[in-house]
Coordinates of all heavy atoms in Angstrom, one line a residue:
M1 N -63.6 64.6 6.4 CA -63.3 66.0 6.5 C -62.6 66.5 5.3 O -61.7 65.8 4.8 CB -62.5 66.3 7.8 CG -62.2 67.7 8.2 SD -60.9 68.6 7.4 CE -59.5 67.6 7.7
T2 N -63.0 67.6 4.7 CA -62.3 68.1 3.6 C -62.0 69.6 3.8 O -62.5 70.3 4.6 CB -63.1 68.0 2.3 OG1 -64.3 68.8 2.4 CG2 -63.5 66.5 2.1
A3 N -61.1 70.1 2.9 CA -60.8 71.5 3.0 C -62.0 72.4 2.8 O -62.0 73.6 3.2 CB -59.7 71.9 2.0
S4 N -63.0 71.9 2.1 CA -64.2 72.7 1.9 C -65.1 72.9 3.1 O -66.0 73.7 3.2 CB -65.1 72.1 0.7 OG -65.6 70.8 1.2
V5 N -64.8 72.1 4.1 CA -65.5 72.2 5.4 C -64.5 72.5 6.5 O -63.8 71.7 6.9 CB -66.2 70.8 5.8 CG1 -66.9 71.0 7.1 CG2 -67.2 70.4 4.7
V6 N -64.4 73.8 6.8 CA -63.4 74.3 7.7 C -64.1 74.5 9.1 O -65.1 75.3 9.1 CB -62.7 75.5 7.2 CG1 -61.7 76.0 8.2 CG2 -62.0 75.2 5.9
V7 N -63.6 74.0 10.1 CA -64.1 74.1 11.5 C -63.3 75.1 12.2 O -62.1 75.0 12.3 CB -64.1 72.8 12.2 CG1 -64.7 72.9 13.6 CG2 -64.9 71.7 11.4
A8 N -64.0 76.1 12.8 CA -63.3 77.1 13.6 C -62.5 76.5 14.7 O -63.1 75.6 15.4 CB -64.3 78.2 14.1
G9 N -61.3 76.9 14.9 CA -60.5 76.4 16.0 C -59.9 75.0 15.8 O -59.4 74.4 16.7
A10 N -60.1 74.5 14.6 CA -59.6 73.2 14.3 C -58.3 73.2 13.5 O -58.3 72.9 12.3 CB -60.7 72.3 13.6
D11 N -57.3 73.7 14.1 CA -56.0 73.8 13.4 C -55.5 72.5 12.8 O -54.8 72.5 11.8 CB -55.0 74.4 14.4 CG -53.8 75.0 13.8 OD1 -53.9 75.6 12.7 OD2 -52.7 74.8 14.3
W12 N -55.9 71.4 13.4 CA -55.5 70.1 12.9 C -55.9 69.9 11.4 O -55.3 69.1 10.8 CB -56.0 69.0 13.8 CG -57.5 69.1 14.0 CD1 -58.2 69.7 15.0 CD2 -58.5 68.5 13.2 NE1 -59.5 69.5 14.9 CE2 -59.8 68.8 13.8 CE3 -58.5 67.8 12.0 CZ2 -61.0 68.4 13.2 CZ3 -59.7 67.4 11.4 CH2 -60.9 67.7 12.0
Q13 N -56.9 70.5 11.0 CA -57.4 70.3 9.6 C -56.4 70.6 8.5 O -56.4 69.9 7.5 CB -58.7 71.1 9.3 CG -59.9 70.6 10.0 CD -61.1 71.4 9.6 OE1 -61.1 72.6 9.5 NE2 -62.2 70.7 9.3
R14 N -55.5 71.5 8.8 CA -54.5 71.8 7.8 C -53.6 70.6 7.5 O -52.9 70.6 6.5 CB -53.6 72.9 8.3 CG -54.3 74.2 8.3 CD -53.4 75.4 8.7 NE -53.0 75.3 10.1 CZ -51.8 75.5 10.6 NH1 -50.8 75.9 9.8 NH2 -51.5 75.3 11.8
H15 N -53.6 69.6 8.4 CA -52.7 68.4 8.2 C -53.4 67.2 7.6 O -52.8 66.1 7.5 CB -52.0 68.1 9.5 CG -51.3 69.2 10.1 ND1 -50.1 69.7 9.6 CD2 -51.6 70.0 11.2 CE1 -49.7 70.8 10.3 NE2 -50.6 71.0 11.3
G16 N -54.7 67.3 7.4 CA -55.5 66.2 6.9 C -55.1 65.8 5.4 O -54.9 66.7 4.6
R17 N -55.1 64.5 5.2 CA -54.8 64.0 3.8 C -55.9 64.4 2.9 O -55.7 64.4 1.7 CB -54.6 62.5 3.9 CG -53.3 62.1 4.5 CD -52.8 60.7 4.1 NE -52.5 60.7 2.7 CZ -52.7 59.6 1.9 NH1 -53.3 58.5 2.4 NH2 -52.4 59.6 0.7
C18 N -57.1 64.6 3.4 CA -58.2 65.0 2.5 C -58.1 66.4 2.0 O -58.9 66.8 1.1 CB -59.5 64.8 3.3 SG -59.7 65.8 4.7
R19 N -57.2 67.2 2.6 CA -57.2 68.6 2.3 C -57.1 68.9 0.8 O -57.7 69.8 0.3 CB -56.0 69.2 3.0 CG -56.0 70.7 2.8 CD -55.0 71.4 3.9 NE -54.8 72.8 3.6 CZ -55.7 73.7 4.0 NH1 -56.8 73.4 4.7 NH2 -55.4 75.0 3.8
N20 N -56.4 68.1 0.0 CA -56.2 68.3 -1.4 C -57.0 67.3 -2.2 O -56.9 67.3 -3.4 CB -54.7 68.2 -1.8 CG -53.9 69.3 -1.1 OD1 -54.3 70.4 -1.1 ND2 -52.7 68.9 -0.6
A21 N -57.9 66.6 -1.6 CA -58.7 65.6 -2.3 C -60.0 66.3 -2.8 O -60.4 67.3 -2.3 CB -59.1 64.4 -1.4
D22 N -60.6 65.7 -3.7 CA -61.9 66.1 -4.2 C -63.0 66.0 -3.2 O -63.2 64.9 -2.6 CB -62.3 65.3 -5.5 CG -63.6 65.7 -6.1 OD1 -64.4 66.6 -5.5 OD2 -63.9 65.2 -7.2
P23 N -63.7 67.0 -2.7 CA -64.7 67.0 -1.7 C -65.8 65.9 -1.9 O -66.3 65.4 -1.0 CB -65.2 68.4 -1.6 CG -64.2 69.2 -2.2 CD -63.5 68.4 -3.2
S24 N -66.1 65.7 -3.2 CA -67.1 64.7 -3.5 C -66.8 63.3 -3.1 O -67.6 62.4 -3.0 CB -67.5 64.8 -5.0 OG -66.4 64.3 -5.8
L25 N -65.5 63.0 -2.9 CA -65.1 61.7 -2.4 C -65.6 61.5 -0.9 O -65.9 60.4 -0.6 CB -63.5 61.6 -2.4 CG -62.9 60.3 -1.9 CD1 -63.4 59.1 -2.8 CD2 -61.4 60.4 -1.9
F26 N -65.7 62.6 -0.2 CA -66.1 62.5 1.2 C -67.5 62.9 1.4 O -68.1 62.5 2.4 CB -65.2 63.4 2.1 CG -63.7 63.0 2.0 CD1 -62.9 63.5 1.1 CD2 -63.3 62.0 2.9 CE1 -61.6 63.1 1.0 CE2 -62.0 61.6 2.8 CZ -61.1 62.1 1.8
F27 N -68.1 63.7 0.5 CA -69.5 64.1 0.6 C -70.2 63.8 -0.8 O -70.1 64.6 -1.7 CB -69.6 65.6 0.9 CG -69.0 66.0 2.2 CD1 -67.6 66.3 2.3 CD2 -69.8 66.0 3.3 CE1 -67.1 66.7 3.5 CE2 -69.2 66.4 4.6 CZ -67.9 66.7 4.6
G28 N -70.8 62.6 -0.9 CA -71.4 62.2 -2.1 C -72.7 62.9 -2.3 O -73.3 63.5 -1.4
P29 N -73.3 62.8 -3.5 CA -74.5 63.4 -3.8 C -75.7 62.7 -3.0 O -75.6 61.6 -2.6 CB -74.7 63.1 -5.3 CG -73.8 62.0 -5.7 CD -72.7 62.0 -4.6
E30 N -76.7 63.5 -2.7 CA -77.8 63.1 -1.9 C -78.5 61.9 -2.5 O -78.9 61.0 -1.7 CB -78.8 64.2 -1.7 CG -79.7 64.0 -0.6 CD -80.6 65.2 -0.3 OE1 -80.0 66.3 -0.2 OE2 -81.8 65.1 -0.2
S31 N -78.6 61.8 -3.8 CA -79.3 60.7 -4.4 C -78.4 59.4 -4.6 O -78.9 58.4 -5.1 CB -79.8 61.2 -5.8 OG -78.7 61.5 -6.6
E32 N -77.2 59.5 -4.2 CA -76.3 58.4 -4.4 C -76.7 57.2 -3.6 O -77.2 57.3 -2.4 CB -74.9 58.8 -4.0 CG -73.8 57.7 -4.1 CD -72.5 58.1 -3.5 OE1 -72.5 58.6 -2.4 OE2 -71.5 58.0 -4.3
G33 N -76.5 56.0 -4.1 CA -76.9 54.8 -3.4 C -76.2 53.6 -3.9 O -75.4 53.7 -4.9
G34 N -76.4 52.5 -3.3 CA -75.9 51.2 -3.8 C -74.4 51.1 -3.9 O -73.6 51.7 -3.2
P35 N -74.0 50.4 -5.0 CA -72.5 50.2 -5.3 C -71.7 51.4 -5.4 O -70.5 51.5 -5.0 CB -72.5 49.4 -6.5 CG -73.9 49.0 -6.9 CD -74.8 49.9 -6.0
E36 N -72.2 52.5 -6.0 CA -71.5 53.7 -6.2 C -71.1 54.3 -4.8 O -69.9 54.7 -4.6 CB -72.3 54.8 -7.0 CG -72.6 54.4 -8.4 CD -73.8 53.5 -8.5 OE1 -74.6 53.4 -7.6 OE2 -74.0 52.9 -9.6
R37 N -72.0 54.3 -3.9 CA -71.8 54.9 -2.6 C -70.7 54.0 -1.8 O -69.8 54.5 -1.2 CB -73.0 55.0 -1.8 CG -72.8 55.5 -0.4 CD -74.1 55.6 0.4 NE -73.9 56.3 1.7 CZ -74.5 57.3 2.1 NH1 -75.5 57.9 1.4 NH2 -74.2 57.8 3.3
T38 N -70.9 52.7 -1.9 CA -70.0 51.8 -1.3 C -68.5 52.0 -1.8 O -67.6 52.1 -1.0 CB -70.4 50.3 -1.5 OG1 -71.7 50.2 -0.9 CG2 -69.5 49.4 -0.8
L39 N -68.4 52.1 -3.1 CA -67.0 52.3 -3.6 C -66.5 53.6 -3.2 O -65.3 53.7 -2.9 CB -67.1 52.1 -5.2 CG -67.4 50.7 -5.7 CD1 -67.6 50.8 -7.2 CD2 -66.3 49.8 -5.3
R40 N -67.3 54.7 -3.3 CA -66.8 56.0 -2.9 C -66.3 56.0 -1.4 O -65.3 56.5 -1.1 CB -67.9 57.0 -3.1 CG -67.4 58.5 -2.7 CD -68.5 59.5 -2.8 NE -69.7 59.1 -2.0 CZ -69.8 59.3 -0.7 NH1 -68.7 59.7 0.0 NH2 -70.9 58.9 -0.1
E41 N -67.1 55.4 -0.5 CA -66.8 55.3 0.9 C -65.5 54.5 1.1 O -64.7 54.9 2.0 CB -68.0 54.8 1.7 CG -69.1 55.7 1.8 CD -70.4 55.2 2.5 OE1 -70.4 53.9 2.7 OE2 -71.3 56.0 2.8
I42 N -65.4 53.4 0.4 CA -64.1 52.6 0.6 C -62.9 53.5 0.2 O -61.9 53.5 0.9 CB -64.2 51.3 -0.3 CG1 -65.2 50.3 0.3 CG2 -62.8 50.7 -0.5 CD1 -65.5 49.2 -0.6
E43 N -63.0 54.2 -0.9 CA -61.9 55.0 -1.3 C -61.6 56.2 -0.3 O -60.5 56.5 0.0 CB -62.1 55.6 -2.7 CG -61.0 56.4 -3.3 CD -59.7 55.6 -3.4 OE1 -59.7 54.4 -3.6 OE2 -58.6 56.2 -3.2
A44 N -62.7 56.8 0.2 CA -62.5 57.9 1.2 C -61.8 57.3 2.5 O -60.9 57.9 3.0 CB -63.8 58.5 1.5
K45 N -62.3 56.2 2.9 CA -61.7 55.5 4.1 C -60.2 55.2 3.9 O -59.4 55.3 4.8 CB -62.5 54.3 4.5 CG -63.8 54.7 5.1 CD -64.6 53.4 5.5 CE -65.8 53.7 6.3 NZ -66.5 52.5 6.8
R46 N -59.9 54.8 2.6 CA -58.5 54.5 2.3 C -57.6 55.8 2.5 O -56.5 55.7 3.1 CB -58.4 54.0 0.9 CG -57.0 53.6 0.5 CD -57.0 53.0 -0.9 NE -57.8 51.7 -0.9 CZ -58.6 51.4 -1.9 NH1 -58.7 52.2 -3.0 NH2 -59.3 50.3 -1.8
V47 N -58.1 56.9 2.1 CA -57.4 58.2 2.3 C -57.3 58.4 3.8 O -56.2 58.8 4.3 CB -58.1 59.4 1.6 CG1 -57.5 60.7 2.0 CG2 -58.1 59.2 0.1
C48 N -58.3 58.2 4.5 CA -58.3 58.5 6.0 C -57.4 57.6 6.7 O -56.7 58.1 7.7 CB -59.7 58.3 6.6 SG -61.0 59.5 6.0
R49 N -57.3 56.3 6.3 CA -56.4 55.4 7.1 C -54.9 55.9 7.2 O -54.2 55.6 8.1 CB -56.4 54.0 6.4 CG -57.5 53.2 6.9 CD -57.3 51.7 6.5 NE -57.1 51.5 5.1 CZ -58.0 51.2 4.2 NH1 -59.3 51.2 4.6 NH2 -57.8 51.0 2.9
Q50 N -54.5 56.6 6.2 CA -53.1 57.1 6.1 C -53.0 58.5 6.7 O -51.9 59.1 6.6 CB -52.6 57.0 4.7 CG -52.6 55.7 4.1 CD -51.8 54.7 4.9 OE1 -50.6 55.0 5.3 NE2 -52.3 53.5 5.1
C51 N -54.0 59.1 7.2 CA -54.0 60.5 7.7 C -53.4 60.7 9.0 O -53.8 59.9 10.0 CB -55.5 61.0 7.7 SG -55.6 62.7 8.0
P52 N -52.5 61.6 9.2 CA -51.9 61.9 10.5 C -52.9 62.5 11.5 O -52.6 62.4 12.7 CB -50.8 62.8 10.2 CG -51.2 63.5 9.0 CD -52.0 62.5 8.2
V53 N -54.0 63.0 11.1 CA -55.0 63.6 12.1 C -56.3 62.8 12.1 O -57.3 63.3 12.5 CB -55.2 65.1 11.8 CG1 -54.0 65.9 12.0 CG2 -55.8 65.2 10.4
L54 N -56.2 61.5 11.8 CA -57.4 60.6 11.7 C -58.2 60.7 13.0 O -59.4 60.9 13.1 CB -57.0 59.2 11.4 CG -58.1 58.2 11.6 CD1 -58.9 58.1 10.3 CD2 -57.6 56.8 12.0
L55 N -57.5 60.5 14.2 CA -58.2 60.4 15.5 C -58.8 61.8 15.9 O -59.9 61.8 16.4 CB -57.3 59.9 16.5 CG -56.9 58.4 16.3 CD1 -56.0 57.9 17.5 CD2 -58.1 57.5 16.3
R56 N -58.1 62.8 15.6 CA -58.6 64.2 15.9 C -59.9 64.5 15.1 O -60.8 65.0 15.6 CB -57.6 65.2 15.7 CG -56.4 65.1 16.8 CD -55.4 66.2 16.7 NE -56.0 67.3 17.4 CZ -55.3 68.5 17.4 NH1 -54.2 68.6 16.8 NH2 -55.9 69.5 18.0
C57 N -59.8 64.1 13.8 CA -61.0 64.3 12.9 C -62.2 63.5 13.4 O -63.3 64.0 13.5 CB -60.5 63.9 11.5 SG -61.8 64.2 10.3
R58 N -61.9 62.2 13.8 CA -63.0 61.3 14.3 C -63.6 61.9 15.5 O -64.8 61.9 15.7 CB -62.4 59.9 14.5 CG -63.4 58.9 14.9 CD -62.8 57.6 15.0 NE -62.5 57.1 13.7 CZ -61.9 56.0 13.4 NH1 -61.5 55.1 14.4 NH2 -61.6 55.6 12.2
Q59 N -62.7 62.3 16.5 CA -63.2 62.8 17.7 C -64.0 64.1 17.5 O -65.1 64.3 18.1 CB -62.0 63.2 18.6 CG -61.3 62.0 19.2 CD -60.0 62.3 19.8 OE1 -59.4 63.4 19.7 NE2 -59.4 61.3 20.6
H60 N -63.6 64.9 16.6 CA -64.4 66.1 16.3 C -65.8 65.7 15.7 O -66.8 66.3 16.2 CB -63.7 67.0 15.2 CG -64.6 68.0 14.6 ND1 -64.9 69.2 15.2 CD2 -65.4 67.9 13.5 CE1 -65.8 69.8 14.4 NE2 -66.0 69.1 13.4
A61 N -65.8 64.8 14.8 CA -67.1 64.4 14.2 C -68.0 63.8 15.2 O -69.2 64.1 15.2 CB -66.8 63.4 13.1
L62 N -67.5 63.0 16.1 CA -68.4 62.4 17.1 C -68.8 63.5 18.2 O -70.0 63.5 18.6 CB -67.7 61.2 17.8 CG -67.4 60.0 16.9 CD1 -66.5 59.0 17.6 CD2 -68.7 59.4 16.5
A63 N -68.0 64.3 18.6 CA -68.3 65.3 19.6 C -69.3 66.4 19.1 O -70.1 66.9 19.8 CB -67.0 66.0 20.1
H64 N -69.2 66.7 17.8 CA -70.0 67.7 17.2 C -71.2 67.2 16.3 O -71.8 67.9 15.6 CB -69.1 68.7 16.3 CG -68.2 69.4 17.2 ND1 -66.9 69.0 17.5 CD2 -68.3 70.6 17.8 CE1 -66.3 69.9 18.3 NE2 -67.2 70.9 18.5
F65 N -71.4 65.9 16.4 CA -72.5 65.3 15.7 C -72.6 65.6 14.3 O -73.7 66.0 13.7 CB -73.8 65.6 16.5 CG -73.9 65.1 17.9 CD1 -73.6 66.0 18.9 CD2 -74.2 63.8 18.2 CE1 -73.6 65.6 20.2 CE2 -74.2 63.4 19.5 CZ -73.9 64.3 20.5
E66 N -71.4 65.5 13.6 CA -71.4 65.7 12.1 C -72.4 64.8 11.5 O -72.3 63.5 11.7 CB -70.0 65.6 11.6 CG -69.0 66.6 12.0 CD -69.3 68.0 11.5 OE1 -70.1 68.1 10.6 OE2 -68.6 68.9 11.9
Q67 N -73.3 65.3 10.7 CA -74.3 64.4 10.1 C -74.0 63.9 8.8 O -74.5 62.8 8.3 CB -75.6 65.2 10.0 CG -76.2 65.5 11.4 CD -77.6 66.2 11.2 OE1 -78.1 66.3 10.2 NE2 -78.0 66.7 12.3
Y68 N -73.1 64.6 8.0 CA -72.9 64.2 6.6 C -71.4 64.0 6.3 O -70.6 64.6 6.9 CB -73.4 65.3 5.7 CG -74.9 65.6 6.0 CD1 -75.2 66.8 6.6 CD2 -75.9 64.7 5.6 CE1 -76.6 67.0 6.9 CE2 -77.2 65.0 5.8 CZ -77.6 66.1 6.5 OH -78.9 66.4 6.8
G69 N -71.1 63.1 5.4 CA -69.8 62.9 4.9 C -69.0 61.9 5.7 O -69.4 61.3 6.7
I70 N -67.8 61.7 5.2 CA -66.8 60.8 5.9 C -65.9 61.7 6.7 O -65.3 62.6 6.2 CB -65.9 60.1 4.8 CG1 -66.8 59.3 3.8 CG2 -64.9 59.1 5.5 CD1 -67.3 58.0 4.2
W71 N -65.8 61.4 8.0 CA -65.0 62.2 8.9 C -64.2 61.2 9.7 O -64.8 60.3 10.3 CB -65.8 63.0 9.9 CG -66.5 64.2 9.3 CD1 -67.6 64.2 8.5 CD2 -66.1 65.6 9.4 NE1 -68.0 65.5 8.2 CE2 -67.0 66.3 8.7 CE3 -65.0 66.2 10.1 CZ2 -66.9 67.7 8.6 CZ3 -65.0 67.6 10.0 CH2 -65.9 68.3 9.3
G72 N -62.9 61.3 9.8 CA -62.1 60.4 10.6 C -62.3 58.9 10.2 O -62.1 58.1 11.0
G73 N -62.5 58.7 8.9 CA -62.7 57.3 8.4 C -64.0 56.7 8.8 O -64.2 55.5 8.6
L74 N -65.0 57.5 9.2 CA -66.3 57.0 9.6 C -67.4 57.6 8.7 O -67.4 58.9 8.5 CB -66.6 57.4 11.1 CG -65.7 56.8 12.2 CD1 -66.2 57.3 13.5 CD2 -65.7 55.3 12.1
T75 N -68.3 56.8 8.3 CA -69.4 57.3 7.5 C -70.5 57.8 8.4 O -70.4 57.6 9.7 CB -70.0 56.1 6.7 OG1 -70.6 55.1 7.6 CG2 -69.0 55.5 5.7
E76 N -71.6 58.3 7.9 CA -72.7 58.7 8.7 C -73.2 57.6 9.6 O -73.5 57.7 10.8 CB -73.9 59.2 7.8 CG -73.6 60.5 7.1 CD -73.2 60.2 5.6 OE1 -72.7 59.1 5.3 OE2 -73.3 61.2 4.8
N77 N -73.4 56.4 8.9 CA -73.9 55.2 9.7 C -72.9 54.8 10.7 O -73.3 54.3 11.8 CB -74.2 54.1 8.7 CG -75.5 54.4 7.9 OD1 -76.4 55.1 8.4 ND2 -75.5 53.9 6.7
D78 N -71.6 54.8 10.4 CA -70.6 54.4 11.4 C -70.7 55.3 12.6 O -70.6 54.8 13.8 CB -69.1 54.6 10.8 CG -68.8 53.6 9.7 OD1 -69.5 52.6 9.6 OD2 -67.9 54.0 8.9
R79 N -70.8 56.6 12.4 CA -70.9 57.6 13.5 C -72.2 57.3 14.4 O -72.2 57.4 15.6 CB -70.8 59.0 13.0 CG -69.4 59.4 12.5 CD -69.3 60.8 12.3 NE -70.2 61.4 11.3 CZ -70.0 61.3 10.0 NH1 -69.0 60.7 9.5 NH2 -70.9 61.9 9.2
K80 N -73.3 57.0 13.7 CA -74.5 56.7 14.4 C -74.3 55.5 15.4 O -74.8 55.5 16.5 CB -75.7 56.4 13.5 CG -76.2 57.6 12.8 CD -77.3 57.3 11.8 CE -77.7 58.4 11.0 NZ -78.7 58.1 9.9
R81 N -73.6 54.5 14.9 CA -73.3 53.3 15.7 C -72.5 53.7 16.9 O -72.6 53.1 18.0 CB -72.7 52.2 14.9 CG -73.7 51.5 14.0 CD -73.0 50.2 13.4 NE -72.0 50.5 12.5 CZ -72.2 50.7 11.2 NH1 -73.4 50.8 10.7 NH2 -71.1 51.0 10.4
H82 N -71.5 54.6 16.7 CA -70.6 55.0 17.8 C -71.4 55.8 18.9 O -71.0 55.8 20.0 CB -69.5 55.9 17.3 CG -68.3 55.1 16.8 ND1 -67.3 54.6 17.6 CD2 -68.0 54.7 15.5 CE1 -66.5 53.9 16.9 NE2 -66.9 54.0 15.6
R83 N -72.5 56.4 18.5 CA -73.2 57.3 19.4 C -74.3 56.5 20.1 O -74.8 57.0 21.1 CB -73.8 58.5 18.7 CG -72.8 59.5 18.3 CD -73.4 60.8 17.9 NE -74.2 60.7 16.6 CZ -73.7 61.0 15.4 NH1 -72.5 61.5 15.3 NH2 -74.4 60.9 14.3
R84 N -74.7 55.3 19.7 CA -75.7 54.6 20.3 C -75.3 54.2 21.7 O -74.2 53.7 21.9 CB -76.1 53.3 19.5 CG -76.9 53.6 18.3 CD -77.3 52.2 17.7 NE -77.9 52.5 16.4 CZ -77.6 51.8 15.3 NH1 -76.9 50.7 15.4 NH2 -78.2 52.1 14.2
P85 N -76.2 54.3 22.7 CA -75.8 53.8 24.0 C -75.6 52.3 24.0 O -76.3 51.6 23.3 CB -77.0 54.2 24.9 CG -78.2 54.4 23.9 CD -77.6 54.8 22.6
L86 N -74.7 51.9 24.9 CA -74.5 50.4 25.0 C -75.4 49.9 26.1 O -75.2 50.3 27.3 CB -73.0 50.2 25.3 CG -72.0 50.6 24.3 CD1 -70.6 50.5 24.8 CD2 -72.2 49.9 23.0
W87 N -76.3 49.1 25.8 CA -77.3 48.6 26.8 C -76.7 47.3 27.4 O -76.2 46.5 26.7 CB -78.6 48.3 26.1 CG -79.2 49.5 25.5 CD1 -79.2 49.8 24.2 CD2 -79.9 50.6 26.2 NE1 -79.8 51.0 24.0 CE2 -80.3 51.5 25.2 CE3 -80.2 50.8 27.5 CZ2 -80.9 52.7 25.5 CZ3 -80.9 52.0 27.8 CH2 -81.2 52.9 26.8
R88 N -76.8 47.3 28.7 CA -76.3 46.1 29.4 C -77.4 45.0 29.4 O -78.6 45.4 29.5 CB -76.0 46.4 30.8 CG -74.7 47.2 31.0 CD -74.3 47.3 32.4 NE -74.9 48.4 33.0 CZ -74.8 48.6 34.3 NH1 -74.2 47.8 35.1 NH2 -75.4 49.7 34.9
S89 N -77.0 43.8 29.2 CA -78.0 42.7 29.2 C -78.3 42.4 30.7 O -77.4 42.5 31.5 CB -77.6 41.5 28.4 OG -76.3 41.1 28.9
S90 N -79.5 42.0 30.9 CA -79.9 41.6 32.3 C -79.5 40.3 32.7 O -79.4 39.4 32.0 CB -81.5 41.7 32.4 OG -81.9 42.9 31.9

């Protein structure tokens, strides 16, 4: 979550560590891939780990199906894994 993405009714965003960070750290270019993306995501997650609103940001991203960027320390792929149903084995 970054200051460039403001969610209505999400007062908690004012307290995010990402507020003063470069938005490109959390929202990389569409063509980005490989090692550059991995390094950017590691750095973004490092910012998130120390954030006082990490859980609120994460809950928002999962509840609102945020498709892009790092939210609450989760990448797009991380969030997809959280949303997958847990199948019981027979």
Side-chain angles (χ1 to χ4, degrees):
M1 188 275 305
T2 67
S4 66
V5 179
V6 177
V7 179
D11 197 40
W12 53 266
Q13 286 186 316
R14 290 185 292 137
H15 305 287
R17 286 202 66 217
C18 60
R19 186 164 173 84
N20 296 317
D22 181 351
S24 67
L25 180 62
F26 299 90
F27 297 90
E30 197 172 309
S31 61
E32 180 185 51
E36 296 84 14
R37 181 179 184 126
T38 300
L39 290 173
R40 181 185 56 76
E41 289 176 346
I42 288 170
E43 184 58 32
K45 286 180 174 188
R46 186 174 297 138
V47 172
C48 292
R49 272 196 305 272
Q50 301 300 315
C51 185
V53 295
L54 170 87
L55 293 178
R56 292 184 80 183
C57 183
R58 182 176 293 177
Q59 289 167 345
H60 164 84
L62 293 170
H64 293 91
F65 299 97
E66 293 291 350
Q67 293 183 12
Y68 305 104
I70 307 279
W71 288 78
L74 300 176
T75 65
E76 294 99 337
N77 289 331
D78 295 336
R79 290 191 301 278
K80 286 178 189 174
R81 283 193 292 276
H82 277 274
R83 288 192 292 263
R84 283 190 192 136
L86 298 175
W87 299 102
R88 288 193 271 170
S89 58
S90 307

